[in-house]
Amino acid sequence: MNLLVLGPQGAGKGTQAKRIAADYALPHVSTGDMFRAAIAAGTPLGKRVEPILAAGELVPDDLTVALIEERLAETDALDGFVLDGFPRNLAQAEALDAMFRKIHRSLDAVLFFDLPDDIATERMLKRAEQESRPDDTPDVIARRLAIYHEQTEPIVEHYRATGKLVPLHAERTVDEVYTEVQDALDALSGSAAA
Ligand code: AMP
């Protein structure tokens, strides 16, 4: 299964993505995690993106698209993946479409974890206390949510038009949301087998 998770920061999509990855034996491909790993390792990519992540801005598309193209070509991703944090804007969504056309693959479902802004902000501030992520300060949180609305939200309509969008209400508990995710994925694998 080729899956994509979409939604504002704080919607729990990373948590859901990890759970799906474990239960359905798919690699969890998170651009945010890949950038943070590069920063921790002090690679040239890490040095370049560190101030961008700290400010809550988006890493340039050319770097991000190249990273994802390489990652999805790795052996463990050939039978499927859970893509998390990419695409973040329409240009990236179009680059992903083009990438898939070239290799004759397509997305099976786009899980959209929707959440009102006030709850997203509250959850991110709470996470900031627990994890001390440098981009979870109140100013950067506000900037990341603004970018989400400006640049990432338009891709929801892009995927709705493909008929692959699965809208989910992410304000409920992790377990409640995950039950719905499983129902959607089981329906999908059922219809693929039929
Ligand atoms: P995340 O963990 O998905 O919230 O990502 C953390 C940060 O990594 C974001 O605030 C961006 O600075 C950067 N980032 C992650 N994914 C992308 C992407 N697809 N395009 C551009 N920047 C990204």
Side-chain angles (χ1 to χ4, degrees), residues 9 13 31-32 35-36 52-53 56-59 64 85-86 88 92 133 135 144:
Q9 295 82 358
K13 66 182 165 53
T31 39
F35 289 135
R36 281 185 288 274
I52 303 176
L53 266 80
E57 302 294 332
L58 292 186
V59 172
T64 311
F86 180 95
R88 273 293 222 278
Q92 292 183 7
R133 259 175 66 161
D135 57 350
R144 287 161 70 211

Side-chain angles (χ1 to χ4, degrees), residues 39-54:
I39 292 170
T43 65
L45 174 70
K47 292 202 171 86
R48 173 130 188 232
V49 303
E50 188 167 16
I52 303 176
L53 266 80

Side-chain angles (χ1 to χ4, degrees), residues 9-10 14 30 40 46 57 62 67-69 75 87-88 100 104 106 110 126 136-137 163 166 175 185:
Q9 295 82 358
S30 154
E57 302 294 332
D62 55 344
L67 189 74
I68 278 296
E69 189 156 19
T75 329
R88 273 293 222 278
F100 280 161
H104 306 291
S106 63
V110 177
K126 206 161 166 193
D136 271 349
T137 63
V166 180
D175 284 343
L185 296 185

Side-chain angles (χ1 to χ4, degrees), residues 4-6 31 57-65 85-97 146-159:
L4 200 155
V5 297
L6 200 62
T31 39
E57 302 294 332
L58 292 186
V59 172
D61 289 342
D62 55 344
L63 283 182
T64 311
V65 169
F86 180 95
R88 273 293 222 278
N89 59 29
L90 271 177
Q92 292 183 7
E94 280 160 12
L96 186 65
D97 288 347
I147 291 182
Y148 172 77
H149 289 303
E150 277 162 29
Q151 303 202 32
T152 310
E153 215 165 26
I155 68 179
V156 171
E157 295 316 314
H158 177 85
Y159 288 120

